[in-house]
Amino acid sequence: MNDPCGVFRDESGTWHLYYQYNPTGIVFGNQHWGHATSKDLYHWSNQPVALIPPGKNLALYSGSAVVDKNNTSGLFPNQTNGVVAIYTLSETLADGSAGPQTQALAYSRDGGFNFTHYEHNPIIDINSQHFRDPKVMYYQDHWVILIAYSREFTVGIFTSTNLINWTHASNFSHHGFEGFQWECPNLVRMGHYNDEGQKQGDAWVMFLSIHPGAPFGGTITQYYPGNFNGTHFEAADSIARVVDSGKDYYAMQFFNGVPSNEDPVSIAWASNWLYAQNVPTNQENWQGTMTLPRQHFVTKTTDIGWKLVSKPYNLQHVMGETVSFQQNLNNRILAIDFSNVDSNAVYWEVNVTGVPERDKISTPMSLNFTFLNPNTAEYVRAGYHFGGHLSRDFAGDTPFFLDRGGARGFDSVFFTDKFSITSTHNKNEWSVSGVLDRSIIEVFLNGGIDSATITYFTLEPLTVMLLSTPDMPQFMRVSMRLVGLKSSWES
Ligand code: FRU
């Protein structure tokens, strides 16, 4: 699999995840829309393939889906759960060269399981080979769709009253990182909070995926806070911001159908086109995974301006037994063996209070943690530098690093080892939490103000967490918790 597509929650609370899927191979090609459903976004039921290409030399690329409750399309007489999927039809010409990319529609009268291709497709065609990934949503009294003019670094915004006939309304272009092409635009309204955590209202945030040419190489998702009036999006500033500072967070999509009194929920593909086709899971006959579902809002603080906050969505659905809870971990080295967690997936958090301001710290002080396998000595590790001279572990001048260089199961020149995040501590506190799940680690700093997702491929599972807090004075308080996660393959 690669991109999530058409993600939505239906009226009964079932989450639908479609995804870019090749049913006849484990590498990209012959793209269909696979389908899975879930009640909690963790336990998934595989469903039959939802969308099959309507002809030879046609691939079904990414897109989105909505419930057409009021039958605006006229495709759903006498029902309120009709689903419209709008996707890119990508054609390959007889000589093997790239043909047009057009936007096409399919509809489902059984709540999103079986789809029929609309007979008058395509519904949007601008005679381009690089025009894709339609994201549809409802705005007050009309439908809105965003489509990437990929190589022009532009998102086209179109409007419609019936999901079939679309009028071009505006363009959003050349903002933040451009890379080689723009893909998978999304536009979402979410809560906006100040320094004190008080809600200030709502903000609109545009999301875009870039490939290749991201700052860490290959693929990345970026975002722009701003304003949307139903036809035009205006970014609040010209700053380039990335959603996730790891290398495996792409094609992020927001679920349609989340009630407006809840924060929006997203999911992304945990890979990078630079090496996605060569990962060692190929030997197990599968390739590609999704990230954790995440919930989001934005903050705007005097120090750092606009920031997207990301947190794992309702992780309690898979929280199991606490393996370790410890306090007063100053100046210690702690080893926690979690080899008895059957799923090999764990949630952990480390909280530090009483932290002095960075420039008041003269001798180097850091907190490091490592997940390792004691037999193969493989590891993934991370650390935060509170202040003082930087140690050699820290790439550049950034306080937080993440390093997957100790995993020996995959060798690719593009598989960068070290990642850095500029995020620092705030109000005398610093925290890190995350999930480690077999071959993915997702890290959240300071309650989700920064995140980093990386895949890693070890020969043996990582089963021990080492936490070290050298030279940390008594007035700083460190506590940690590590919880086993229940397998999401069992109900
Ligand atoms: C992003 C992407 C999309 C395209 C899909 C094809 O990863 O390249 O632009 O629709 O994948 O699978």
Side-chain angles (χ1 to χ4, degrees):
M1 61 161 77
N2 54 286
D3 308 5
C5 312
V7 295
F8 78 97
R9 184 162 95 173
D10 70 22
E11 292 271 293
S12 74
T14 297
W15 301 88
H16 292 258
L17 169 73
Y18 306 89
Y19 53 90
Q20 287 289 288
Y21 174 54
N22 178 356
T24 52
I26 46 163
V27 292
F28 172 88
N30 186 27
Q31 298 300 99
H32 288 49
W33 275 30
H35 184 203
T37 53
S38 175
K39 282 289 179 194
D40 60 11
L41 289 170
Y42 292 95
H43 300 86
W44 291 94
S45 303
N46 203 14
Q47 302 293 349
V49 168
L51 279 168
I52 297 172
K56 247 187 119 212
N57 299 329
L58 291 173
L60 285 180
Y61 274 16
S62 288
S64 52
V66 282
V67 177
D68 184 16
K69 201 172 160 185
N70 298 322
N71 191 25
T72 61
S73 63
L75 295 164
F76 309 108
N78 312 319
Q79 70 176 110
T80 55
N81 68 340
V83 181
V84 164
I86 301 182
Y87 51 86
T88 299
L89 212 48
S90 187
E91 192 175 340
T92 306
L93 301 180
D95 65 2
S97 63
Q101 294 189 333
T102 59
Q103 317 316 314
L105 184 151
Y107 55 94
S108 166
R109 293 191 172 135
D110 66 356
F113 294 87
N114 292 287
F115 283 86
T116 307
H117 290 284
Y118 179 59
E119 59 175 325
H120 303 300
N121 278 335
I123 54 166
I124 309 178
D125 180 2
I126 58 156
N127 191 22
S128 164
Q129 297 163 344
H130 308 288
F131 179 54
R132 62 179 177 275
D133 306 337
K135 173 68 181 183
V136 57
M137 61 174 186
Y138 197 69
Y139 180 91
Q140 290 180 7
D141 59 354
H142 63 272
W143 299 102
V144 173
I145 206 163
L146 278 70
I147 312 172
Y149 302 88
S150 295
R151 306 255 167 112
E152 291 158 58
F153 313 111
T154 296
V155 175
I157 300 178
F158 298 71
T159 57
S160 172
T161 51
N162 64 4
L163 289 163
I164 294 169
N165 304 107
W166 292 91
T167 309
H168 179 260
S170 67
N171 282 336
F172 173 75
S173 317
H174 299 284
H175 243 89
F177 299 114
E178 294 190 336
F180 177 64
Q181 53 187 346
W182 282 7
E183 302 182 318
C184 303
N186 269 235
L187 181 58
V188 201
R189 187 157 75 183
M190 58 183 76
H192 157 208
Y193 295 80
N194 67 8
D195 292 44
E196 310 298 324
Q198 289 153 340
K199 191 160 180 177
Q200 303 296 294
D202 285 331
W204 282 91
V205 186
M206 170 88 80
F207 293 82
L208 270 179
S209 291
I210 309 166
H211 176 76
F216 331 126
T219 48
I220 206 168
T221 308
Q222 66 175 330
Y223 69 98
Y224 319 93
N227 251 315
F228 180 62
N229 64 4
T231 55
H232 292 68
F233 174 77
E234 203 175 318
D237 55 36
S238 57
I239 297 174
R241 298 176 172 89
V242 300
V243 172
D244 185 286
S245 304
K247 205 166 173 172
D248 297 283
Y249 193 87
Y250 199 57
M252 180 193 199
Q253 289 285 343
F254 280 82
F255 283 85
N256 278 324
V258 176
S260 56
N261 60 353
E262 291 177 33
D263 289 331
V265 179
S266 72
I267 196 159
W269 177 47
S271 195
N272 190 309
W273 279 122
L274 282 183
Y275 45 76
Q277 307 286 61
N278 311 317
V279 291
T281 60
N282 289 357
Q283 289 146 28
E284 298 171 20
N285 214 23
W286 64 279
Q287 185 181 102
T289 39
M290 297 299 168
T291 62
L292 290 170
R294 296 184 181 181
Q295 209 157 21
H296 307 270
F297 57 86
V298 280
T299 59
K300 190 180 177 202
T301 62
T302 24
D303 289 353
I304 47 178
W306 289 100
K307 233 10 194 144
L308 178 77
V309 179
S310 308
K311 296 171 191 270
Y313 177 74
N314 281 353
L315 202 56
Q316 76 271 13
H317 290 294
V318 282
M319 284 289 215
E321 305 285 318
T322 296
V323 177
S324 182
F325 172 67
Q326 314 238 4
Q327 286 170 299
N328 301 325
L329 293 172
N330 305 65
N331 210 356
R332 288 266 304 276
I333 296 182
L334 180 73
I336 301 153
D337 180 339
F338 56 91
S339 57
N340 60 350
V341 174
D342 290 340
S343 66
N344 188 231
V346 292
Y347 165 83
W348 83 93
E349 59 184 41
V350 180
N351 294 295
V352 188
T353 57
V355 187
E357 284 170 36
R358 289 189 78 74
D359 55 12
K360 303 240 164 66
I361 301 173
S362 49
T363 41
M365 198 202 304
S366 63
L367 181 150
N368 296 282
F369 57 94
T370 305
F371 291 97
L372 64 92
N373 180 288
N375 303 321
T376 62
E378 290 173 287
Y379 61 82
V380 170
R381 63 190 188 130
Y384 179 67
H385 181 256
F386 290 90
H389 289 297
L390 290 173
S391 80
R392 66 188 157 80
D393 284 340
F394 293 87
D397 266 351
T398 53
F400 185 78
F401 80 89
L402 193 56
D403 176 7
R404 61 182 172 184
R408 305 207 322 259
F410 184 44
D411 187 17
S412 158
V413 284
F414 303 115
F415 204 65
T416 319
D417 287 348
K418 283 193 164 77
F419 301 90
S420 312
I421 305 185
T422 47
S423 171
T424 180
H425 51 274
N426 183 18
K427 297 194 186 118
N428 306 328
E429 289 175 7
W430 182 78
S431 74
V432 60
S433 62
V435 167
L436 179 97
D437 183 1
R438 186 173 144 154
S439 61
I440 304 183
I441 181 168
E442 293 186 46
V443 171
F444 301 88
L445 298 177
N446 295 325
I449 197 97
D450 281 289
S451 71
T453 301
I454 54 172
T455 55
Y456 58 89
F457 300 99
T458 50
L459 305 172
E460 296 291 329
L462 305 179
T463 55
V464 172
M465 182 183 189
L466 277 185
L467 180 75
S468 70
T469 53
D471 309 316
M472 204 175 271
Q474 281 306 316
F475 60 79
M476 285 169 66
R477 300 255 160 237
V478 185
S479 65
M480 72 83 56
R481 186 160 74 109
L482 186 127
V483 180
L485 295 179
K486 294 186 233 165
S487 169
S488 63
W489 297 97
E490 291 148 23
S491 48

